[in-house]
């Protein structure tokens, strides 16, 4: 599968802070997805993006599909303790069922 | 609404033993997947089934076999477990033509 570079690898954030993470690829994708995984659970889909330049929000989360189709960004505004977890980006192609995943960004919130 | 259900949740095997991981989805999805998750490596696709009756290799298929038993069920078999197969295994499903995959809770497998 395609290799996605996700950064940062981990972050410690203060409650109330806005944070960003991003994902880049050497190849283009038609779809960018962002998942969150909590300890002992499977990844849960947060946001799906289907169009270059698209900006989509889900509550305090906002994600963007990069204009080059080779990157995506996820922002979390006003962090709260329940934002703790691992956030994964995933890229997909419309003619292919398979997703390529980044290695994840581990978020820890300081109360 | 169960979504994607995996069994067992935990398993310890000795090297050389065999076992089957079970997965069932109740969302009437056509496509099903098996991923493994290792620290620092994200999720890697082992096998997938685009629709009932078809299966295809993913990124890391060696040492595994799959069976798409019917539309609901997709099993993963380890014929002769190796320590390198110690991992967390996730089953997922998606609707026809969609890449939005929904995941089960995972099976944590340790091979000693």
């Amino acid at each position: 599968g395609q290799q996605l570079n996700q950064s940062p690898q981990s972050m410690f954030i203060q409650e109330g802070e806005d944070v960003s993470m991003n994902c880049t690829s050497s190849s283009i994708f038609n779809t960018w997805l962002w998942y969150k995984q909590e300890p002992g659970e499977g990844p849960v889909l947060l946001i799906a993006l289907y169009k270059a330049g698209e900006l989509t929000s889900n509550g305090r989360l906002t994600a963007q599909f990069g204009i080059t189709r080779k990157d995506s960004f996820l922002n979390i505004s006003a962090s709260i303790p329940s934002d703790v977890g691992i956030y994964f980006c995933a890229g997909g192609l419309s003619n292919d069922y398979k997703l390529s995943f980044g290695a994840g960004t581990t978020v820890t919130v300081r109360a | 609404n169960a979504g994607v259900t995996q069994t067992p949740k935990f398993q310890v095997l000795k090297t050389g033993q065999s076992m089957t991981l079970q997965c069932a989805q109740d969302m009437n999805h056509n496509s099903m997947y098996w991923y493994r998750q290792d620290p620092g490596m994200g999720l890697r696709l082992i096998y997938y089934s685009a629709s009932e009756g078809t299966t295809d290799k993913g990124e890391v298929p060696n040492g595994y076999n799959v069976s798409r038993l019917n539309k609901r069920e997709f099993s993963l078999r380890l014929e002769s477990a190796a320590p390198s197969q110690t991992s967390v295994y996730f089953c997922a499903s998606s609707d026809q033509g969609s890449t939005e995959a929904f995941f089960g809770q995972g099976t944590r497998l340790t091979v000693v």
Side-chain angles (χ1 to χ4, degrees):
Chain A
Q2 307 286 353
Q3 288 294 321
L4 300 187
N5 297 309
Q6 191 171 346
S7 66
Q9 191 172 13
S10 62
M11 59 169 67
F12 287 88
I13 57 177
Q14 291 283 352
E15 188 174 351
E17 276 186 344
D18 296 347
V19 298
S20 294
M21 59 194 78
N22 68 76
C23 203
T24 60
S25 170
S26 57
S27 303
I28 62 172
F29 288 110
N30 301 124
T31 305
W32 281 96
L33 306 174
W34 285 92
Y35 286 85
K36 179 187 178 186
Q37 185 181 25
E38 297 186 8
E41 302 290 330
V44 174
L45 183 63
L46 298 173
I47 294 178
L49 303 158
Y50 295 100
K51 190 176 175 182
E54 180 182 355
L55 189 70
T56 298
S57 293
N58 178 6
R60 294 177 295 104
L61 305 176
T62 301
Q64 184 163 25
F65 192 140
I67 198 72
T68 65
R69 296 166 67 194
K70 292 184 178 181
D71 57 3
S72 181
F73 304 87
L74 177 70
N75 298 313
I76 305 173
S77 63
S79 305
I80 60 177
S82 63
D83 289 333
V84 163
I86 306 175
Y87 292 79
F88 290 100
C89 62
L93 295 169
S94 54
N95 60 346
D96 191 344
Y97 295 92
K98 304 184 293 290
L99 290 173
S100 296
F101 282 83
T105 295
T106 300
V107 172
T108 306
V109 179
R110 293 197 197 95
Chain B
N1 190 359
V4 179
T5 303
Q6 293 182 232
T7 55
K9 289 195 188 313
F10 301 94
Q11 183 72 50
V12 179
L13 290 178
K14 293 182 179 179
T15 298
Q17 285 186 317
S18 63
M19 81 160 294
T20 300
L21 280 65
Q22 307 287 353
C23 175
Q25 52 92 9
D26 63 3
M27 295 175 282
N28 202 36
H29 285 167
N30 284 312
S31 303
M32 297 186 73
Y33 313 83
W34 277 104
Y35 288 89
R36 61 177 287 172
Q37 184 178 32
D38 300 295
M41 299 191 73
L43 291 139
R44 292 182 293 167
L45 184 65
I46 304 171
Y47 270 94
Y48 69 102
S49 171
S51 62
E52 187 178 356
T54 69
T55 60
D56 286 285
K57 294 178 180 179
E59 186 182 352
V60 288
N62 291 344
Y64 306 95
N65 285 301
V66 291
S67 295
R68 184 74 183 268
L69 304 170
N70 48 55
K71 191 171 185 179
R72 290 186 65 247
E73 299 173 287
F74 188 38
S75 63
L76 178 72
R77 182 161 179 84
L78 287 71
E79 291 290 351
S80 179
S84 61
Q85 293 179 304
T86 293
S87 188
V88 182
Y89 291 86
F90 287 100
C91 177
S93 69
S94 67
D95 208 352
Q96 186 170 6
S98 173
T99 50
E100 292 184 26
F102 294 84
F103 286 81
Q105 289 193 309
T107 296
R108 185 173 295 275
L109 175 68
T110 302
V111 183
V112 297

